[in-house]
């Protein structure tokens, strides 16, 4: 597992207060919303802030989040391509 | 003629302890609020993962209401809560996240709790209540307003019961006193009785 994917899982668990969920329980392809981790709309906003704060990525259109935040895989790929930090 | 209502049950949470009807049901060695309230959540074996996303005021209101409503079949329960500190606990966190223009990253998850009445929504979600609710900010505990409001709702059949009281937290200090007003119960729902129960754990 890449360092970035591990880092993302750690950040998601800590910043979104996912109590009782361990890194090993989040598969790279698991859906983050809906039936996966069950994140909600406020969590999506937190992830947008996280992209900006930690990776220097500003999403001009929040609707982009729908595809970027599909899974850890998709998040990591987008960050690798667009990060400025 | 004024109908008479009763206090069905009441709960205090303060100084690392949860009491129901004056009897201790949970006490923790955890001094700090977040550790204590998490221990209380675990102790009562509540299954509601969103609890961990709530702010401190909502966590306090959530646990106090849950111990009173967990076996309550009635769903037409009005919520009438109050405090002194409003949502200052979350307001301060939000303020600290926007104080530095060079490091300006307000957290949406904190911001959504910068109103005290959000805790009423958390209680309503957990217990599936679609009832009347209000949150008042008073200088001090005000049994007069709470009882007048609850009596009015029950007398006019706007609610079958009312969960009333005080839930306050700021700068690490916290206390909650919630009680259920019903058409039957143990204690007469009167201002002196409410004040007496409120003060029993001061």
């Amino acid at each position: 597992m890449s360092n970035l994917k591990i880092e993302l899982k750690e950040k998601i668990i800590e910043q979104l207060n996912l109590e009782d969920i361990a890194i090993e329980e989040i598969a790279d392809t698991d859906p983050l919303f809906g039936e996966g981790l069950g994140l909600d709309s406020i969590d999506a906003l937190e992830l947008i802030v996280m992209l900006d704060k930690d990776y220097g990525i500003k999403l001009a259109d929040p609707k982009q989040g729908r595809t970027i935040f599909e899974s850890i895989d998709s998040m990591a790929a987008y960050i690798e391509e667009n990060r400025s930090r | 003629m004024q109908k008479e209502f009763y206090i069905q049950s009441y709960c205090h949470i303060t100084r690392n302890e949860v009491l129901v009807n004056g009897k201790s049901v949970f006490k923790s060695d955890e001094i700090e609020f977040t550790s204590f309230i998490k221990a209380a959540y675990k102790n009562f074996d509540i299954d509601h993962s969103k609890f961990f996303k709530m702010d401190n005021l909502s966590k306090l209101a959530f646990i106090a209401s849950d111990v009173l409503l967990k076996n309550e079949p009635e769903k037409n329960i009005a919520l009438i809560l109050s405090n002194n500190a409003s949502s200052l606990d979350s307001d301060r966190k939000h303020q600290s996240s926007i104080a530095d223009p060079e490091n300006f990253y307000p957290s949406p998850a904190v911001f959504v709790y910068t109103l005290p009445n959000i805790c009423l929504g958390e209680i309503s979600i957990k217990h599936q209540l679609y009832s009347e609710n209000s949150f008042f900010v008073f200088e001090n505990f005000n049994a007069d307003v709470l009882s007048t409001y609850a009596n009015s709702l029950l007398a006019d059949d706007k609610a079958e019961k009312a969960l009333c009281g005080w839930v306050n937290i700021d700068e690490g200090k916290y206390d909650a006193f919630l009680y259920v007003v019903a058409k039957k119960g143990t204690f007469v729902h009167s201002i002196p009785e409410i004040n007496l129960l409120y003060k029993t754990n001061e």
Side-chain angles (χ1 to χ4, degrees):
Chain A
M1 196 189 304
S2 75
N3 288 340
L4 177 58
K5 289 178 186 177
I6 295 171
E7 181 181 296
L8 284 174
K9 290 176 186 180
E10 287 173 344
K11 285 177 188 289
I12 286 172
I13 289 170
E14 184 187 341
Q15 294 183 20
L16 305 186
N17 296 307
L18 302 181
E19 191 77 13
D20 297 333
I21 292 182
I23 292 174
E24 302 75 36
E25 294 175 63
I26 306 175
D28 294 349
T29 54
D30 277 352
L32 298 181
F33 292 83
E35 290 181 5
L37 284 184
L39 303 186
D40 60 22
S41 56
I42 300 298
D43 295 322
L45 294 174
E46 283 290 332
L47 293 178
I48 290 172
V49 173
M50 187 178 89
L51 285 187
D52 185 5
K53 185 178 181 181
D54 297 346
Y55 304 104
I57 299 171
K58 288 187 187 297
L59 292 189
D61 180 4
K63 289 178 184 169
Q64 287 178 274
R66 192 180 291 268
T67 51
I68 298 167
F69 302 137
E70 270 183 9
S71 66
I72 293 293
D73 270 347
S74 60
M75 270 189 84
Y78 187 82
I79 290 169
E80 290 287 12
E81 278 184 27
N82 296 281
R83 68 188 302 171
S84 60
R85 286 179 197 154
Chain B
M1 184 179 157
Q2 172 78 44
K3 291 179 185 173
E4 191 164 71
F5 301 112
Y6 298 86
I7 296 171
Q8 173 181 291
S9 55
Y10 62 97
C11 169
H12 285 279
I13 301 181
T14 188
R15 296 187 296 272
N16 321 326
E17 190 170 20
V18 181
L19 300 100
V20 175
N21 299 332
K23 293 180 181 173
S24 179
V25 293
F26 176 69
K27 189 169 174 60
S28 169
D29 294 331
E30 300 285 359
I31 303 297
E32 199 250 333
F33 176 78
T34 52
S35 301
F36 159 70
I37 207 73
K38 180 179 173 182
Y41 173 88
K42 301 273 185 190
N43 174 75
F44 294 122
D45 203 22
I46 302 167
D47 183 18
H48 191 78
S49 59
K50 196 171 183 294
F51 174 81
F52 297 104
K53 294 174 181 285
M54 295 177 194
D55 73 336
N56 287 332
L57 178 64
S58 291
K59 285 178 177 172
L60 182 59
F62 181 92
I63 295 294
S65 61
D66 204 70
V67 296
L68 294 176
L69 300 182
K70 62 183 174 185
N71 297 317
E72 173 62 61
E74 179 60 55
K75 292 298 177 192
N76 189 9
I77 304 172
L79 304 176
I80 311 167
L81 302 192
S82 60
N83 75 3
N84 165 271
S86 185
S87 56
L88 266 177
D89 186 70
S90 286
D91 297 350
R92 291 182 204 284
K93 285 177 186 160
H94 178 60
Q95 171 62 28
S96 70
S97 73
I98 60 173
D100 180 1
E102 303 301 317
N103 190 26
F104 188 89
Y105 295 105
S107 161
V110 172
F111 180 72
V112 293
Y113 286 101
T114 56
L115 284 171
N117 58 330
I118 302 302
C119 70
L120 302 176
E122 301 291 6
I123 296 169
S124 296
I125 290 168
K126 172 64 165 61
H127 298 283
Q128 299 182 315
L129 307 179
Y130 300 89
S131 48
E132 171 106 359
N133 67 63
S134 292
F135 198 107
F136 296 95
V137 178
F138 297 136
E139 185 70 29
N140 297 297
F141 180 70
N142 189 327
D144 192 350
V145 171
L146 297 178
S147 65
T148 300
Y149 197 161
N151 284 340
S152 170
L153 290 174
L154 269 64
D156 291 343
D157 290 324
K158 300 291 185 189
E160 284 300 311
K161 296 184 179 181
L163 177 72
C164 306
W166 178 264
V167 55
N168 199 47
I169 181 161
D170 191 33
E171 298 187 319
K173 293 182 181 173
Y174 62 92
D175 69 301
F177 166 62
L178 300 191
Y179 56 94
V180 178
V181 183
K183 293 172 181 174
K184 294 176 183 175
T186 311
F187 310 96
V188 173
H189 180 236
S190 67
I191 294 169
E193 190 68 42
I194 296 167
N195 280 325
L196 185 66
L197 295 177
Y198 172 65
K199 290 175 181 171
T200 54
N201 206 48
E202 271 191 336

